[in-house]
Amino acid sequence: MMTTAKTGKEIKIDPAYIQSLLQRIEPSECLQLLSWNCSPLGKNKEESSVYRVSCTVLDHNRKQNYALILKTLKPDSIRNQVDHYYYWKREALVYHSGILNQLPPGIRAPICHAVEECPDGSVWIWLEDIAIESIQSDWSITHMRKISYLLGKYNGAYITGTLLPSEAFLCQNWMRSWVEVCTAYAKPIEEQKVTWDSYLNECNGKGPMWVLYHNNRTRVNNLLETLELLPRVFAHQDVHWDNIFLEQLNGNDSLIAIDWQFASISGVGEELGRMFGYALLKKKVPVNKVAEYKEMLFLSYMQGLRDVGWDGNSKLARFGFTATASLRFIMVIDKLLSILQEDERMNQNDKSSHLLSVTQELLKMAEESWNLRSEII
């Protein structure tokens, strides 16, 4: 059977398969699928799509409604290596392995009902429908501190006794892979310098900033090598407002995490750094309050680590946090320079002004991480 999504794309789903899934969830010989429809959720990406499959069933002469989440993953030869940060099949393998059924207290993932290999090579993941619309929240500083604290507890569990997953499909050097991809997409630094000199250096007095950028580009490999020596944790690596939600369990805050395609074995602090850098770029962290947010979120993360019993050197987590957040400058500055080439009126372009401010803050964090590195190695 076929349903057409609002995007114009078609998806074929066998109603007999839907019924078999529902019978696993609600075992009943009498359960009969009466009707169903499929609607897309979020943006339909080239590499994956997400749908809500809403069903009406008859069970012992009583009608009931159910909903399932279907995520489809498409094969990609470019992302077909397990050490690629965005290995196309990783999320399906993570769910199928059962790793997410063994997460430490304080965090959970949607229940996986089935992982289906399709004839066209794609993989379908059938998941519990979590009503995230009812628990989504604006990312206020209070909300972010709660998230940071729980991330600290989650990560800290793996350096205080919880066994690390050992599956081969988990990326072991996630940040290195991400940086390599960003660097490959970025223009050569010589071309960047020409654009910088044309639009920033003379008109805006940003010559010293270029020197700072150039210096930190030469340090990237050293930062990555040190990140790979940090205490290891099982990380989600894609923490933001569309993927991580707070719920109340027995009167306590707890995390629900969806979208596990970036799951990795990473260094302590990396999880928070990824969250912070992205939130800064997307204006969830006000650029004029970076220092305040940075300290509050790190202290919350550290408290989470301490509360699960980690008594290690806080500078290790601080390095993981600052280095990971700062390495986003590689992508941000390339975006900035591309925009400047398209629109020379830098001061009249809010987007380029924001990217310039973000770059300045990320480079400050890069300097901090470089100084920390000399204290921990």
Coordinates of all heavy atoms in Angstrom, one line a residue, residues 2 6 21 54 121 141 197 248 264 266:
M2 N 0.4 2.3 -0.5 CA 1.2 3.5 -0.7 C 0.5 4.7 -0.2 O -0.7 4.9 -0.3 CB 1.5 3.7 -2.2 CG 2.4 4.9 -2.5 SD 2.6 5.2 -4.3 CE 3.6 3.7 -4.7
K6 N 3.3 14.9 2.3 CA 3.0 16.3 1.9 C 4.2 16.8 1.1 O 4.1 17.8 0.4 CB 2.8 17.2 3.1 CG 1.5 16.9 3.9 CD 1.4 17.7 5.1 CE 0.2 17.4 5.9 NZ 0.1 18.1 7.2
L21 N 3.3 -5.3 13.8 CA 4.0 -4.5 14.8 C 3.1 -4.2 15.9 O 3.5 -4.3 17.1 CB 4.5 -3.2 14.1 CG 5.7 -3.3 13.2 CD1 6.0 -1.9 12.7 CD2 6.9 -3.8 14.0
S54 N -0.2 6.9 12.0 CA -1.3 6.8 12.9 C -2.3 5.7 12.4 O -2.6 5.6 11.3 CB -2.0 8.2 12.8 OG -1.2 9.2 13.2
G121 N 17.7 -1.4 -0.3 CA 18.9 -1.1 0.5 C 18.7 -0.1 1.7 O 19.6 0.0 2.5
I141 N 18.3 29.6 30.0 CA 19.5 29.2 30.7 C 19.1 28.2 31.8 O 19.9 27.2 32.0 CB 20.2 30.4 31.3 CG1 21.5 30.0 32.0 CG2 19.3 31.2 32.3 CD1 22.5 29.4 31.1
D197 N 41.0 39.5 3.5 CA 41.6 40.8 3.3 C 40.7 41.7 2.5 O 40.8 43.0 2.7 CB 42.9 40.6 2.5 CG 44.0 39.9 3.3 OD1 43.9 40.0 4.5 OD2 45.0 39.4 2.7
Q248 N 9.6 14.3 33.7 CA 9.6 14.0 35.1 C 9.4 12.5 35.4 O 8.4 12.0 34.9 CB 8.5 14.8 35.8 CG 8.8 16.3 35.9 CD 9.9 16.6 37.0 OE1 9.8 16.2 38.1 NE2 10.9 17.3 36.6
S264 N 28.6 7.7 19.7 CA 30.1 7.5 19.6 C 30.7 7.2 21.0 O 30.0 7.4 22.0 CB 30.8 8.8 19.1 OG 30.7 9.8 20.0
S266 N 33.4 8.9 23.0 CA 34.1 10.2 23.0 C 34.7 10.5 24.3 O 34.5 9.8 25.3 CB 33.1 11.3 22.5 OG 32.6 11.0 21.2

